Amino acid sequence: MFGIDEAGKGPALGPMIAACVSVPDGSVLPEGIDDSKRLAPAKREALAEALHGDDRIAVGLAAIEPARIDDPGTDMNSLTVAAHAEAARQVVEAGMEGVCDAGDVDAARFVRRVSEGLPEGVSLSGEHGADETHRVVGAASVVAKVERDRRIRELEAEYGEVGSGYPSDPRTREFLEEYVGEYGELPACARSSWKTCTDALAAAEQGTLAEF
């Protein structure tokens, strides 16, 4: 059995991460698995370490980087489908059954699209909130979130404090404004098509015009 989920669909900075966790049965999953949003960071880290460290558990990860997100020829629904399939292909085989957290308002459509990218003979179902009702999907949620957080820490090592990357985070908005103000362009880690990023560029341009 396996579960798939993603983290980081909505941030203005960094990649979206999808994870697939495959187990022989649910009994091998560590205690405390839940939707990653319900868990404290330290608990998520400990669970992710346990999942990665158990040789009975297989973990697949896929990263959708900002440049791919900004491609005008695609959209977030399609990229979420692709991420789920890319993560799952690393660890699933024909005959396996799994569940995904539906990343589309139409859960059946999302499942159908992800299934098209999986090996033949794999049976996939999906629903909204699957990370709350299926422990194996919760495990995927945890792994994806921890990997996403690790990527943000890497960005902080390169750029300094960037916040969570989400548009609602004041520090993320400040970072973008400061970076654009200094360099005249967005950092490579930014999703340049996101409104938060285009707003930072527009504000810098207005500031430059005001100087004349």
Side-chain angles (χ1 to χ4, degrees):
M1 60 186 294
F2 64 90
I4 321 171
D5 201 3
E6 85 286 329
K9 185 187 294 186
L13 299 179
M16 173 174 65
I17 303 293
C20 180
V21 172
S22 174
V23 295
D25 60 74
S27 67
V28 305
L29 291 169
E31 291 298 320
I33 290 289
D34 199 349
D35 172 7
S36 64
K37 296 185 291 296
R38 296 179 171 183
L39 300 171
K43 180 64 173 178
R44 289 196 300 261
E45 294 275 355
L47 287 170
E49 183 176 357
L51 290 162
H52 282 292
D54 191 328
D55 59 11
R56 298 168 298 175
I57 300 173
V59 176
L61 286 166
I64 307 295
E65 301 293 346
R68 190 172 172 189
I69 291 169
D70 290 329
D71 184 343
T74 190
D75 58 79
M76 285 307 295
N77 275 354
S78 296
L79 290 172
T80 306
V81 167
H84 277 230
E86 289 172 19
R89 283 197 299 270
Q90 299 172 32
V91 295
V92 305
E93 301 175 352
M96 295 182 68
E97 296 183 357
V99 183
C100 68
D101 190 47
D104 186 345
V105 293
D106 186 332
R109 176 175 61 193
F110 186 80
V111 169
R112 183 173 65 252
R113 294 180 71 192
V114 174
S115 296
E116 290 171 355
L118 300 183
E120 290 187 13
V122 172
S123 176
L124 180 68
S125 61
E127 60 192 64
H128 299 122
D131 49 358
E132 300 176 9
T133 55
H134 298 270
R135 293 183 70 237
V136 70
V137 182
S141 171
V142 167
V143 171
K145 174 61 174 169
V146 169
E147 177 63 14
R148 159 80 189 174
D149 288 347
R150 186 187 71 79
R151 299 293 190 99
I152 292 297
R153 290 196 296 271
E154 288 181 348
L155 294 182
E156 290 181 336
E158 180 177 357
Y159 296 102
E161 188 179 355
V162 300
S164 65
Y166 281 85
S168 60
D169 188 332
R171 179 55 202 151
T172 294
R173 296 197 302 271
E174 290 172 3
F175 161 69
L176 287 168
E177 292 166 4
E178 292 166 358
Y179 190 96
V180 172
E182 182 172 356
Y183 298 101
E185 62 182 8
L186 291 164
C189 64
R191 302 180 185 182
S192 60
S193 56
W194 255 231
K195 186 177 185 300
T196 306
C197 297
T198 58
D199 284 352
L201 282 174
E205 290 171 0
Q206 287 296 322
T208 301
L209 291 172
E211 294 175 0
F212 288 95

